[in-house]
């Protein structure tokens, strides 16, 4: 048995097991709802009440969301309104449902009323539920490296010839701390007229060796924009 190869495989397997890389996307939509008939959509400001972020970070993420959504390639016959980052804060699902039930009264939520004022058929509530930078300790281990070595030989006629051969050697890697980032967002679609939830999705991502989750946040927003386009263009 080649014990060196077995050792390499064991080290690699342990390293992959320790590395927190994860991407999970789940979605649901009401099969009885005709999304193809949607012509006006109101997308609320990102609700960040579940995460502890500075005001500067929140404003940066709000601006990023609005900017990327405004660049989304939505069909021309669908009007998409993105709530401005300076607007009042989005409310929780329970408040949105309450606003729907009480629409037309003074207690109705301003954002829900804004959706109605925009003649929107659907209101979408984006929520940032996780924004974390963590780390884990990668144990000390040995990794086998390969190097090409130039060599030569002399044939029977006394002529020299060059060739290359591969040599492997052990390289000790000390224990180290590796950062990783976690970002999770949910998107909830509500019918403005009935207040009923008609669709929802959750995008949960973890990226190794990452100490700034903003790149994952941008990719989540881009996927949401793509999902929105697919919903309103489906037959």
């Amino acid at each position: 048995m080649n014990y060196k190869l077995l050792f390499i495989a064991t080290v690699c397997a342990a390293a992959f097991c320790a590395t927190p890389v994860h991407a999970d996307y789940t979605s649901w939509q009401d099969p009885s709802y005709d999304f193809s008939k949607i012509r006006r959509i109101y997308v609320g400001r990102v609700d960040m009440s579940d995460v502890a972020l500075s005001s500067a970070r929140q404003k940066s993420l709000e601006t990023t969301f609005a900017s990327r959504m405004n660049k989304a390639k939505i069909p021309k016959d669908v009007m998409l309104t993105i709530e401005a980052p300076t607007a009042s804060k989005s409310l929780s699902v329970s408040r949105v449902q309450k606003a729907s039930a009480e629409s037309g009264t003074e207690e109705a939520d301003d954002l829900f009323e804004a959706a109605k004022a925009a003649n929107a058929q659907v209101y979408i509530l984006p929520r940032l539920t996780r924004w974390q930078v963590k780390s884990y300790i990668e144990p000390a281990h040995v990794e086998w490296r390969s190097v090409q070595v130039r060599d030569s030989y002399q044939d029977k006629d006394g002529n020299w010839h060059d060739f290359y051969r591969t040599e492997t050697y052990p390289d000790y890697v000390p224990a180290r701390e590796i950062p990783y980032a976690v970002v999770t967002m949910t998107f909830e679609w509500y019918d403005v007229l009935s207040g009923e939830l008609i669709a929802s999705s959750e995008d949960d991502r973890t990226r190794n060796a990452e100490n700034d989750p903003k790149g994952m946040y941008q990719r989540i927003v881009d996927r949401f924009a793509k999902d929105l386009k697919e919903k309103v263009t489906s037959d």
Side-chain angles (χ1 to χ4, degrees), residues 52-73:
L53 297 175
S54 67
S55 297
R57 173 66 83 175
Q58 288 188 37
K59 290 183 181 299
S60 174
L61 295 181
E62 290 168 357
T63 301
T64 297
F65 181 85
S67 174
R68 298 184 88 85
M69 287 302 300
N70 282 324
K71 294 178 181 177
K73 297 180 180 179

Side-chain angles (χ1 to χ4, degrees), residues 185-200:
M185 289 190 74
T186 62
F187 300 91
E188 292 151 349
W189 298 48
Y190 291 90
D191 179 77
V192 172
L193 186 61
S194 67
E196 295 294 325
L197 180 69
I198 58 172
S200 63

Side-chain angles (χ1 to χ4, degrees), residues 22 45 61 115 121 139 142 149 158 163 168 181 189 191 197 209:
H22 172 79
R45 181 182 173 198
L61 295 181
Q121 298 160 280
V142 173
V149 178
F163 70 96
T168 58
W189 298 48
D191 179 77
L197 180 69

Side-chain angles (χ1 to χ4, degrees), residues 119-190:
N119 294 318
Q121 298 160 280
V122 171
Y123 171 84
I124 301 177
L125 175 64
R127 303 177 70 188
L128 180 63
T129 58
R130 280 206 303 174
W131 178 280
Q132 299 172 328
V133 176
K134 297 184 177 182
S135 64
Y136 69 95
I137 301 299
E138 181 183 73
H141 60 281
V142 173
E143 295 180 356
W144 288 90
R145 310 292 185 187
S146 296
V147 62
Q148 294 291 312
V149 178
R150 183 177 180 178
D151 208 341
S152 60
Y153 71 94
Q154 190 176 28
D155 63 24
K156 63 180 180 178
D157 298 321
N159 299 315
W160 286 94
H161 303 275
D162 292 335
F163 70 96
Y164 289 88
R165 56 187 170 81
T166 302
E167 288 188 355
T168 58
Y169 64 94
D171 182 25
Y172 175 76
V173 180
R176 57 176 179 162
E177 184 177 15
I178 299 179
Y180 67 95
V182 182
V183 178
T184 305
M185 289 190 74
T186 62
F187 300 91
E188 292 151 349
W189 298 48
Y190 291 90

Side-chain angles (χ1 to χ4, degrees), residues 7-25:
F7 179 73
I8 294 173
T10 303
V11 169
C12 290
F16 279 116
C17 288
T19 303
V21 177
H22 172 79
D24 186 27
Y25 180 76

